[in-house]
Amino acid sequence: MSGMRSLLDLTPDELSAWLAEQGEPGYRARQIEAWLARGVLDPTAMTDLPKRLRAQLKAEFSPPLRRVARSDASDGVRKYAFELQTGANAGRRIEAVWIPERDRGTVCVSTQVGCVYRCPFCHTGTLGFGGNLRASEIIAQVLHIKRDLVEDPPERPWRGEVTHVVFMGMGEPLANFEAVCRSIAWLLEKLRISRRRITVSTSGLVPQIRRLGERVPVNLAISLHAATDALRNELVPVNRTWPLARLRAALDAFPLGKQRHITLEYVLLDGINDRDEDIEALIAFANSERERVNLIPFNPWPGAPYA
Ligand code: SF4
């Protein structure tokens, strides 16, 4: 399985070329892409394709991941664990979350297996780094959840759809820049999710923030968590490379459309970053015309160094 590719790995030209090699007409590509956009990744379920073609697809391509667990919370949130099926990451596990609200359904995707940055408040940082996800592995998280919501719809009042995607799961999205940009392009084109409904969260990789703004200016969220370099060097180690002054310049240059803002994420750690002087520094750092602060209660995990 690890040597196999996913259909989602193919560009439209590559899919057309593969179909031509099999002697299939060009319109088969549109049929396959329509199934993929509906979250059907298993070729045997693509019932308007000839049986022979389905068998050929099955022999050559595999879904990029399979679900190994789903847990449902009382507030409607669904947490998914996936095992990667193809390529260099085969056998590794990642997580994604579906978060329902009355008027929207948000999928939070992982972009890496683990993370290199080791922010001490973050459980993912304790897992070490296992590798970058391919674009197909990011897209497949969204598609799997989209399909699951059709096959097992949530109870009212939740809207059983994927209307928003946030790149805030395992990993630092901007450290996997190309795959993240490719997956965003796919979501924009194939699922018709607008740029306003896609958010990339970063711990503050300044050069990539600039590149993201130039290439695909979706919503931006910053894992800030401290507004002085001394404290942020501890809580968000990437700050040692890209300190707050460099981050400030990148945020000021990031393109924002009308009525859009950058979100500054700030996890409250008791006695660490919630003292009066910390909040004063936060107020001084934030640009209230372009940025909104999101204060988040700390969610302890076993062995966490904070309460
Ligand atoms: S960069 Fe993000 S995922 Fe990585 S350790 Fe820090 S908070 Fe966690």
Side-chain angles (χ1 to χ4, degrees), residues 111-112 114-127 168-173 201-205 223 225 235-238:
T111 54
Q112 297 182 307
C115 183
V116 285
Y117 288 106
R118 297 181 183 276
C119 304
F121 60 87
C122 172
H123 185 236
T124 300
T126 66
L127 303 176
M168 287 188 191
M170 294 170 74
E172 162 53 66
S201 176
T202 175
S203 56
L205 274 61
S223 294
H225 312 310
L235 296 182
V236 188
V238 76

Side-chain angles (χ1 to χ4, degrees), residues 37-50:
R38 287 160 59 190
V40 176
L41 303 181
D42 179 358
T44 55
M46 299 179 178
T47 49
D48 61 355
L49 300 180

Side-chain angles (χ1 to χ4, degrees), residues 163-179:
T163 60
H164 293 65
V165 177
V166 295
F167 290 72
M168 287 188 191
M170 294 170 74
E172 162 53 66
L174 293 188
N176 188 11
F177 188 83
E178 282 304 319

